[in-house]
């Protein structure tokens, strides 16, 4: 009986470990993707902000 409980506890601990490991990979990847997207959006040259010839600065 004791070994069955120990196996179940080990299985639950292993499942929790690998679930947290997946989050340790997914969360930084999401953060880096958002940072890269925001950098790309800031560096875009908007087409609606073009000046006309002879316009004052």
């Amino acid at each position: 009986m004791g070994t069955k409980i120990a196996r179940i506890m080990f299985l639950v601990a292993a499942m929790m470990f690998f679930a947290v490991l997946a989050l340790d990979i997914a969360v930084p990847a999401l953060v880096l993707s958002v940072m890269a997207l925001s950098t790309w959006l800031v560096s875009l040259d908007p087409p609606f902000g073009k000046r006309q010839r002879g316009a004052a600065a």
Side-chain angles (χ1 to χ4, degrees), residues 42-55:
V42 167
S43 67
L44 279 179
D45 187 22
F48 52 84
K50 293 184 179 178
R51 291 187 205 162
Q52 293 179 352
R53 188 176 275 186

Side-chain angles (χ1 to χ4, degrees), residues 20-42:
V20 170
L21 185 63
L23 286 176
D24 283 345
I25 295 169
V27 171
L30 181 67
V31 169
L32 288 174
S33 297
V34 168
M35 288 172 60
L37 181 64
S38 65
T39 302
W40 177 73
L41 286 174
V42 167

